[in-house]
Amino acid sequence: MSLSCNALGWSVKEKTIVSDATLKVRTGEMLGLVGPNGSGKSSLLRMLAGIQKPSSGRVCLGETPMSNMRQRDIARKLALVEQHANTEDRITVREAVELGRTPFLTALRTWRSEDDAIVASALAAVDLKGFEDRLWHTLSGGERQRVQIARALAQAPDILLLDEPTNHLDIGHQLAILHLVRGLPVTSVIALHDLNQALLCDRICVMEAGRIVALGAPSEILTEARLRDTFGVCGHFMTDPFDGTAIIRFHSARTG
């Protein structure tokens, strides 16, 4: 399923957070969303997820305007993993992940064995098997992040939005999560700070001051000029001798 927005904007007390964002994420692609802190990445993701109502423009799931859809129907198609998720409730890891099945439960469609299997599969996918009975408040930041990703996977979405999903994770789990998302049969948008991780995406969308300023293949978008002008660093592309993939070596623009 594709995801698109047209002339999307959001302002708070006359301060523009996102302006005139137009974008179409193709069915099955993995789009990396990058930009400096405060560039509007999280706000754009929240509007794409239907959580934040835009001040202007619209979002479509496939060809259907999101504004015409019920929240439950949106949640059956799309899942969002935000940067920070906290709760004061004393819930277990399993209970947190089971929340991902909520959009599918009704008075007529109660919990089934297939829901148990989906939850178990989601936990295993993020390396949390054996954590089922751990309480949320006892988890580290990285473990909580993985629980939130498992909750999103339990929704079995067609579209997966992730806001810095590798934040708080050790390098092993960072790579595992990125490769997991890349292998899923979903359309995904991932906000990332690590530009070398963004190179794994099919396309990259660059934001500056609330606007989309570049969109395309990583090799076309992450040029030395873009790295300098947008991120304030000098970067040179190199070839990884291990597998031949492109990597970026950074140093301060002031010393470049």
Side-chain angles (χ1 to χ4, degrees):
M1 172 175 283
S2 64
L3 174 67
S4 62
C5 62
N6 183 56
L8 202 63
W10 181 46
S11 299
V12 179
K13 296 182 179 179
E14 299 184 358
K15 178 178 174 57
T16 299
I17 309 299
V18 175
S19 176
D20 197 30
T22 296
L23 171 70
K24 183 169 184 178
V25 190
R26 303 162 184 159
T27 300
E29 87 167 317
M30 180 175 171
L31 179 76
L33 188 61
V34 302
N37 287 339
S39 59
K41 301 186 299 296
S42 295
S43 298
L44 178 59
L45 281 177
R46 287 176 62 83
M47 287 190 286
L48 290 176
I51 293 175
Q52 175 60 56
K53 184 178 179 180
S55 303
S56 59
R58 71 175 189 173
V59 178
C60 290
L61 288 180
E63 301 301 321
T64 305
M66 190 177 284
S67 58
N68 295 345
M69 299 175 66
R70 297 183 306 167
Q71 195 61 46
R72 176 183 289 271
D73 293 332
I74 294 172
R76 289 177 174 177
K77 298 290 184 181
L78 182 151
L80 169 67
V81 178
E82 299 193 77
Q83 284 188 54
H84 307 290
N86 291 305
T87 178
E88 299 300 322
D89 296 331
R90 289 179 62 83
I91 63 172
T92 66
V93 167
R94 171 177 286 280
E95 289 169 339
V97 177
E98 286 176 346
L99 292 174
R101 301 305 300 158
T102 302
F104 302 94
L105 303 178
T106 67
L108 297 178
R109 201 290 191 189
T110 57
W111 192 271
R112 301 172 181 172
S113 59
E114 66 189 72
D115 297 302
D116 286 321
I118 290 170
V119 168
S121 177
L123 285 164
V126 298
D127 194 28
L128 284 176
K129 188 175 180 180
F131 281 66
E132 292 86 350
D133 296 326
R134 286 275 302 274
L135 291 172
W136 173 266
H137 72 273
T138 69
L139 302 176
S140 68
E143 289 166 346
R144 291 183 183 188
Q145 189 82 337
R146 285 152 57 201
V147 171
Q148 291 305 305
I149 294 170
R151 187 268 309 157
L153 295 178
Q155 281 181 241
D158 295 315
I159 298 171
L160 182 59
L161 309 181
L162 304 105
D163 193 357
E164 296 185 34
T166 58
N167 196 21
H168 302 303
L169 299 184
D170 59 66
I171 186 62
H173 284 112
Q174 287 182 29
L175 295 174
I177 291 300
L178 288 173
H179 285 290
L180 168 65
V181 174
R182 181 151 188 93
L184 293 173
V186 299
T187 303
S188 58
V189 182
I190 310 179
L192 294 164
H193 269 307
D194 189 323
L195 298 183
N196 274 305
Q197 292 180 351
L199 292 175
L200 298 172
C201 299
D202 298 307
R203 289 191 299 160
I204 289 178
C205 176
V206 183
M207 294 192 72
E208 283 184 34
R211 289 182 171 271
I212 295 174
V213 296
L215 176 65
S219 60
E220 298 171 355
I221 298 303
L222 293 181
T223 63
E224 292 184 16
R226 175 63 62 191
L227 295 174
R228 181 185 63 248
D229 296 343
T230 298
F231 299 95
V233 297
C234 288
H236 303 288
F237 279 87
M238 305 174 65
T239 300
D240 188 331
F242 177 71
D243 59 8
T245 59
I247 56 175
I248 309 173
R249 181 180 183 276
F250 298 99
H251 57 87
S252 172
R254 295 189 181 91
T255 63

